[in-house]
Amino acid sequence: AKCKETLDQCTVKLQAEPDNVELLLARAKAYICEGREFEALYDYDQVIRLRPGSKEVLLARARLRSKVGLDQ
């Protein structure tokens, strides 16, 4: 229930601040918690577009892509 609540709150806030990296990252984690990996990947892609040098996000995205079978 907490993941869904976080997801909903971040989605509402992102409507006003679509380029807010912290909200995108929080929502990506909530998506993963909910088992919605492809939506999390989309948010990670948005963060990388906004902060191309973010090694942590690049690594998290690579791990998630591998988990869902996109990089095999």
Side-chain angles (χ1 to χ4, degrees):
K2 177 98 171 95
C3 295
K4 176 80 170 101
E5 185 179 315
T6 300
L7 182 61
D8 292 343
Q9 289 173 354
C10 289
T11 298
V12 167
K13 291 177 182 176
L14 281 163
Q15 289 174 355
E17 300 178 69
D19 292 341
N20 184 314
V21 169
E22 301 309 319
L23 288 173
L24 286 165
L25 289 173
R27 187 170 73 172
K29 290 178 185 172
Y31 275 138
I32 293 167
C33 179
E34 290 280 302
R36 297 166 64 179
E37 287 89 357
F38 288 99
E39 288 153 302
L41 284 171
Y42 178 80
D43 280 354
Y44 281 148
D45 287 342
Q46 293 299 100
V47 172
I48 290 165
R49 179 182 60 81
L50 294 165
R51 283 197 195 154
S54 180
K55 288 182 174 52
E56 300 88 27
V57 178
L58 288 168
L59 183 58
R61 182 183 67 168
R63 286 184 180 143
L64 188 55
R65 285 179 61 88
S66 180
K67 179 182 174 187
V68 299
L70 291 176
D71 287 338
Q72 294 185 6

